[in-house]
Amino acid sequence: MQFIHISDLHFHRNKKDNKEAEKVLKSIKDNYPKHNLIVTGDITDDGHEKQFENAYKALSPFKGKVFIAPGNHDFGAAGNFYSKERAERFDEMLSKKLDQGGTFTGDNTPLVHVLDEDSTRVMLIALDTNLETTHFFDFACGEVGDKQLSNLEAIISNPENADMVKILFFHHHPFMHNNPFMELSDAKELMRTIYNRVDVL
């Protein structure tokens, strides 16, 4: 089982501004047709409806093999101010249409996919690390949050999942330090939760 990971496609409203993102996706489709695709957020530039339409059109050829997580630009105007409307739009126009099997807004629990191929079982776990704030100075920061951490703990500790390869993915960088504008605020708590229990981050 093979995977390709990309991030920050930043689809715009105007198609001419999406040439590079579309070129990347076409190259993956043409050259790696058997690979699964993981896209870790900022799929759109500011969560505008037209941007989601363009993103879905470009990602739809990967349907059934694409797995996504949201970034702050998907959920916020200019990536700076959290918008519930944009967050719900992400679920309606991307998550639902790409058959992700759940939502990233509302209950805020990890989204899990299990792939079974050639006697290999892989569990993909997607998190929403958006900090739901309207404050300009901290919205680009990330946060897993207590509820997601608790649910993640239960998922990876479950003995029934012990035989699976576990891939955890999300948008905000867990190893970024000394940058109060972009760091994942509860990175240490996340690392304690997943230590020695997740195969790929």
Side-chain angles (χ1 to χ4, degrees):
M1 206 178 300
Q2 296 172 303
F3 295 87
I4 289 178
H5 166 227
I6 59 174
S7 189
D8 293 77
L9 290 167
H10 285 275
F11 273 93
H12 292 79
R13 303 178 210 184
N14 193 323
K15 287 189 175 183
K16 72 177 184 180
D17 296 323
N18 299 326
K19 287 182 180 178
E20 289 302 315
E22 290 174 349
K23 184 178 177 182
V24 168
L25 291 172
K26 185 179 186 305
S27 176
I28 293 170
K29 188 70 178 171
D30 291 347
N31 296 301
Y32 305 97
K34 294 183 179 179
H35 285 60
N36 295 286
L37 179 63
I38 295 174
V39 189
T40 50
D42 284 1
I43 298 171
T44 64
D45 195 54
D46 67 13
H48 187 276
E49 187 172 346
K50 184 63 179 174
Q51 294 175 5
F52 279 114
E53 288 176 3
N54 291 336
Y56 172 70
K57 185 176 180 181
L59 289 170
S60 59
F62 298 91
K63 202 169 181 178
K65 295 178 76 68
V66 62
F67 306 94
I68 62 174
N72 49 290
H73 279 260
D74 299 310
F75 278 16
N80 290 324
F81 306 98
Y82 174 76
S83 163
K84 184 179 179 183
E85 179 186 5
R86 283 172 167 81
E88 290 173 346
R89 193 177 288 157
F90 183 92
D91 281 337
E92 277 300 308
M93 300 186 72
L94 275 186
S95 187
K96 185 177 180 180
K97 291 174 75 174
L98 290 172
D99 297 332
Q100 298 300 292
T103 64
F104 289 99
T105 55
D107 65 355
N108 207 29
T109 57
L111 205 59
V112 176
H113 304 271
V114 175
L115 306 182
D116 200 336
E117 183 182 304
D118 300 329
S119 300
T120 301
R121 298 182 76 210
V122 174
M123 175 181 281
L124 296 166
I125 308 168
L127 300 179
D128 165 22
T129 54
N130 283 299
L131 182 60
E132 296 182 7
T133 173
T134 55
H135 198 290
F136 177 82
F137 291 105
D138 61 13
F139 180 59
C141 295
E143 181 181 74
V144 179
D146 292 340
K147 185 170 184 180
Q148 276 194 120
L149 280 171
S150 176
N151 280 278
L152 178 61
E153 168 84 31
I155 291 166
I156 60 180
S157 300
N158 188 335
E160 294 180 10
N161 302 329
D163 67 326
M164 296 188 204
V165 174
K166 296 174 188 69
I167 300 175
L168 178 67
F169 63 97
F170 46 88
H171 179 67
H172 292 86
H173 203 304
F175 306 115
M176 185 175 286
H177 303 292
N178 303 317
N179 186 338
F181 299 106
M182 297 187 71
E183 66 184 2
L184 185 67
S185 63
D186 50 2
K188 289 180 180 177
E189 291 81 356
L190 174 64
M191 292 306 165
R192 280 195 286 267
T193 301
I194 67 174
Y195 180 74
N196 212 27
R197 292 191 289 181
V198 167
D199 300 283
V200 180
L201 177 62

